[in-house]
Amino acid sequence: MLYDALIIGAGPAGSSAARLLAQAGWRVALVEKAEFPRRKVCGEFISATTMPVLKDCGVAVPFIAAAGPPVTRVGIYAGTTTLAAPREQPWGRALGREHLDVMLRDAALAAGAEFFAPVEVTAVTRDGDGFIGTLDDGREVAARSVIAACGSWNAKGVFAVPQEKPSPSDLFAFKAHFSGGALPAGLMPLLAFPGGYGGLVHTDAGRLSLSCCIRRDALAAARTRHGGKAAEAVLAHILQTTKGARAALGDAALQGNFLSTGPIHPGIRAREAGGIYFTGNIAGEAHPVIAEGISMAIQSSGLLARLLIAHRGEDYAREWKKRFAPRIHAASVFAHLAMHAPTRFASVAVIRAMPGLLGLGARLSGKASISA
Ligand SMILES: Cc1cc2nc3c(=O)[nH]c(=O)nc-3n(C[C@H](O)[C@H](O)[C@H](O)COP(=O)(O)OP(=O)(O)OC[C@H]3O[C@@H](n4cnc5c(N)ncnc54)[C@H](O)[C@@H]3O)c2cc1C
């Protein structure tokens, strides 16, 4: 069987591309190496700007039904400062990746995509006008086109993100769910703490999601100061340095275990190479400080599917850059400020003087207000 598209990875990028192409009549092979459902290091927030693509994928209604309550205010917790944007508007909602990724995968299968899992694509080779993907169980998948949606954190082989030498500034990421706690309703604060940043949000089933990134050197210092496992030391560091996080998580109970990954690789990479299209994190990754990665993954697949269906694949790299590069650059500036001068970041006069700035920052990072 010759597929029209071989899609590598069934995260948000891969499954949404699979759904959109399959419902346009493409024969799609979607290959995923992990066993679903699976939790993932992620803050789980999805910006309201992504609702149109979720609608096109047929999951907008189930997403809203399953997700946590609307996020209506963004804010900053840094040192003893706790700021919340005064104006309320619908920024988006959060849904655990063990639910979101299954929902999107099932939408792709319902549209006719064929699912190969759990199995890894280990090689992609040219075959005449098309490609052959080799799976680690020995099977081969022939396709007219290939879409790499394999994420960036553990991509390997042909898709591996070049590893740089270990550096004190490498970022490691952690994630946990909590029950209870005292995060104000509707608020999603950015946590800015020495050597790192993170976020807190109400997610599905009454849970609180904490996710964060911390520099290698700050992690080592936190482990020396607090002892215990890496995740325990990071949590202790956040609670010790950030009053708002202490108030929100003081009485909360950890649900399940902490997850971790890293180093992560924020930046812009190739969107097309050798006839293979790249979407989601593998194409470009924003510092998670702006909680936009899932949205960018889904939106970039929406863009790619639309262009491929219109036989305009050659426009993808350029269009991608126009739509997503500004968010990646904005995130990099925010991340730098949050990690290196957390208290100044939160308390600079300009933020106090301009109550709209937090909202402006969120808009710059891609969170336009669209009702969700
Ligand atoms: C601390 C932290 C917090 C974050 N918080 C948020 C947030 O609140 N909101 C937000 O929008 N984003 C957030 N993000 C970013 C978000 O998690 C990612 O941007 C998003 O997961 C990217 O989706 P993707 O589909 O490109 O890749 P992934 O979700 O990584 O999916 C890739 C899939 O490909 C599979 N795969 C890889 N290689 C192969 C192969 N060779 N063969 C078969 N399958 C393969 C993997 O198993 C995986 O399932 C956060 C990130 C971090 C680190």
Side-chain angles (χ1 to χ4, degrees):
M1 151 89 131
L2 177 68
Y3 291 93
D4 295 311
L6 160 62
I7 300 182
I8 306 168
S15 288
S16 48
R19 163 74 188 209
L20 295 170
L21 291 174
Q23 74 188 8
W26 284 41
R27 283 161 303 179
V28 173
L30 177 63
V31 186
E32 170 56 53
K33 69 178 181 182
E35 199 112 33
F36 278 17
R38 51 110 175 80
R39 294 171 69 217
K40 198 164 170 102
V41 176
C42 185
E44 306 175 350
F45 172 80
I46 301 196
S47 162
T49 53
T50 306
M51 288 311 287
V53 192
L54 291 181
K55 245 179 226 160
D56 290 348
C57 289
V59 299
V61 171
F63 169 76
I64 289 174
V71 171
T72 53
R73 280 178 307 151
V74 286
I76 294 179
Y77 290 171
T80 55
T81 305
T82 56
L83 286 173
R87 204 156 65 87
E88 296 212 38
Q89 55 188 87
W91 294 114
R93 294 171 188 255
L95 175 62
R97 295 291 299 268
E98 62 274 38
H99 304 306
L100 175 75
D101 291 26
V102 168
M103 192 179 277
L104 283 167
R105 177 207 60 186
D106 288 351
L109 302 198
E114 200 172 319
F115 194 46
F116 297 73
V119 66
E120 180 171 342
V121 177
T122 53
V124 174
T125 48
R126 269 272 178 202
D127 182 46
D129 287 344
F131 299 87
I132 301 277
T134 307
L135 311 188
D136 68 358
D137 60 4
R139 282 181 290 173
E140 292 190 329
V141 178
R144 261 189 332 107
S145 60
V146 172
I147 296 175
C150 47
S152 61
W153 307 332
N154 55 7
K156 287 196 290 208
V158 267
F159 305 117
V161 174
Q163 296 294 319
E164 291 175 3
K165 278 209 273 194
S167 145
S169 63
D170 287 340
L171 280 183
F172 291 87
F174 294 85
K175 191 253 151 42
H177 286 121
F178 292 85
S179 55
L183 181 67
L187 181 67
M188 181 169 73
L190 161 67
L191 312 179
F193 54 87
Y197 58 79
L200 272 173
V201 67
H202 291 282
T203 186
D204 56 84
R207 300 183 295 175
L208 267 186
S209 161
L210 165 71
S211 61
C212 64
C213 290
I214 184 165
R215 287 170 53 110
R216 186 190 290 276
D217 51 3
L219 175 59
R223 293 193 76 170
T224 306
R225 202 171 316 119
H226 300 288
K229 293 189 176 145
E232 291 162 0
V234 171
L235 181 59
H237 178 57
I238 294 173
L239 294 179
Q240 186 184 60
T241 55
T242 316
K243 181 180 160 200
R246 249 186 339 266
L249 291 173
D251 294 332
L254 182 65
Q255 269 198 356
N257 54 335
F258 259 95
L259 304 178
S260 63
T261 191
I264 63 167
H265 311 284
I268 298 175
R269 296 177 273 274
R271 281 83 69 200
E272 189 272 326
I276 298 175
Y277 296 100
F278 295 77
T279 179
N281 259 27
I282 189 71
E285 180 173 356
H287 272 273
V289 70
I290 60 167
E292 276 286 309
I294 308 171
S295 294
M296 284 178 32
I298 293 174
Q299 291 170 23
S300 63
S301 288
L303 171 69
L304 177 60
R306 183 166 54 76
L307 292 173
L308 288 177
I309 291 164
H311 305 286
R312 288 179 48 213
E314 69 280 6
D315 293 342
Y316 173 65
R318 194 184 57 248
E319 291 288 323
W320 187 102
K321 196 166 172 200
K322 237 193 305 186
R323 288 180 58 166
F324 302 112
R327 288 185 225 181
I328 291 177
H329 295 312
S332 170
V333 173
F334 287 175
H336 195 80
L337 285 171
M339 279 189 288
H340 294 287
T343 312
R344 226 178 63 223
F345 176 47
S347 62
V348 273
V350 73
I351 288 185
R352 292 207 184 279
M354 293 173 59
L357 192 72
L358 291 174
L360 175 67
R363 268 194 299 283
L364 259 178
S365 67
K367 294 183 189 55
S369 168
I370 293 176
S371 47

